[in-house]
Amino acid sequence: VDRDRGADRHRFRFRARSRARSAAEGRWILIRFPIWTAVAASLFVFAGLTLLLVVPPVVMAGALVLYGAGNGIKTIVKGTLPLALFGSSGYASLLGRLAMPTLLAQAVAPTLIAFTLAGSRPERLVAILATLALLNVLLSYALRLASPRNERAS
């Protein structure tokens, strides 16, 4: 019985180390390649919104997963990308300034969405959001092209 407990503890430790290693590798990718991560997150959001327009309702769960994954990754990118591009000096005030346009957009969005939905079908709203997501993909990629050479090589 004691040997079984020891074996169980060993298996548990191995699994825990393996999970920790996978999580650390995931964080490493997000921190090491913040611009590529931003591009990928933008692509996920765009793909999710585009799929919502073209797939049958049965398959929409996949579109929602892509959209949610892109939003989740983008949340992490909001913290790592400014740090990678501008360094740690004045990081907190920079994040505050970068958050202002997002907060203003979130404040105005309900009114704009109400006007859009009042005058047309919901598909039009999703198409507008997909177009904005495509613009985000293009801007993220432009940021990659404009970044210093050492970041572009990675």
Side-chain angles (χ1 to χ4, degrees), residues 67 105-122 124-126 128-129 132:
Y67 178 79
Q106 288 174 353
V108 173
T111 305
L112 293 177
I113 290 172
F115 282 125
T116 303
L117 288 177
S120 65
R121 298 176 43 142
R124 181 168 183 226
L125 177 64
V126 176
I128 291 169
L129 292 174
L132 291 172

Side-chain angles (χ1 to χ4, degrees), residues 23-152:
E25 289 169 356
R27 282 190 300 268
W28 180 82
I29 289 172
L30 289 173
I31 293 169
R32 177 68 177 97
F33 304 108
I35 294 177
W36 277 115
T37 306
V39 172
S42 299
L43 279 171
F44 284 170
V45 170
F46 173 68
L49 287 169
T50 303
L51 285 175
L52 277 177
L53 289 171
V54 297
V55 298
V58 176
V59 196
M60 283 188 180
L64 295 175
V65 167
L66 278 173
Y67 178 79
N71 268 333
I73 294 170
K74 197 164 273 295
T75 301
I76 297 168
V77 168
K78 284 180 188 178
T80 58
L81 189 59
L83 185 61
L85 292 177
F86 304 111
S88 60
S89 176
Y91 177 71
S93 62
L94 175 66
L95 282 184
R97 287 193 311 265
L98 290 174
M100 182 62 75
T102 302
L103 294 173
L104 290 173
Q106 288 174 353
V108 173
T111 305
L112 293 177
I113 290 172
F115 282 125
T116 303
L117 288 177
S120 65
R121 298 176 43 142
E123 290 83 7
R124 181 168 183 226
L125 177 64
V126 176
I128 291 169
L129 292 174
T131 304
L132 291 172
L134 178 60
L135 178 64
N136 193 5
V137 170
L138 297 173
L139 290 173
S140 297
Y141 192 74
L143 180 64
R144 183 213 169 262
L145 294 176
S147 69
R149 188 74 184 143
N150 59 359
E151 170 64 27
R152 285 187 3 185

